[in-house]
């Protein structure tokens, strides 16, 4: 299967692009790690496969409407 064919079929099945699907899964994993672990935000970003903390922070805030630090604090207080 060609790359273009794979992307077409993936989008047909999952209604999103492979890149966006993977990014969403990485952000979901990071959010769970922020809740469940005592790791620093930077450690979680790198463990989830983000190459820079600034990219991680920007994408996380766009997806969850909170920065990773705010997200972590809000779940500690509950």
């Amino acid at each position: 299967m060609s790359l273009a064919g794979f992307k077409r079929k993936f989008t047909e099945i999952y209604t999103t692009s492979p890149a966006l699907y993977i990014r969403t899964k990485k952000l979901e994993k990071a959010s769970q790690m922020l809740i469940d672990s005592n790791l620093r935000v930077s450690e979680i970003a790198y463990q989830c496969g983000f190459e820079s903390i600034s990219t991680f922070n920007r994408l996380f805030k766009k997806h969850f409407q909170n920065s990773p630090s705010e997200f972590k604090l809000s779940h500690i207080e509950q």
Side-chain angles (χ1 to χ4, degrees):
M1 178 181 286
S2 70
L3 179 59
F6 169 77
K7 288 179 180 179
R8 233 183 344 270
K9 190 66 171 172
F10 188 96
T11 302
E12 180 183 310
I13 294 169
Y14 293 101
T15 64
T16 189
S17 70
L20 187 55
Y21 179 86
I22 291 169
R23 181 185 313 146
T24 301
K25 291 299 179 185
K26 289 162 87 174
L27 289 168
E28 289 171 359
K29 175 68 176 169
S31 70
Q32 199 59 50
M33 289 177 77
L34 285 165
I35 294 168
D36 294 340
S37 75
N38 292 325
L39 295 174
R40 294 184 334 202
V41 171
S42 59
E43 294 175 72
I44 290 171
Y46 291 126
Q47 285 188 18
C48 290
F50 292 92
E51 292 184 17
S52 77
I53 297 167
S54 61
T55 300
F56 171 67
N57 286 333
R58 180 176 41 81
L59 293 173
F60 193 95
K61 188 164 187 168
K62 184 177 179 183
H63 187 82
F64 291 103
Q65 291 75 48
N66 281 317
S67 71
S69 299
E70 292 168 343
F71 183 88
K72 186 175 181 85
L73 283 174
S74 71
H75 285 84
I76 290 173
E77 296 168 355
Q78 292 180 353

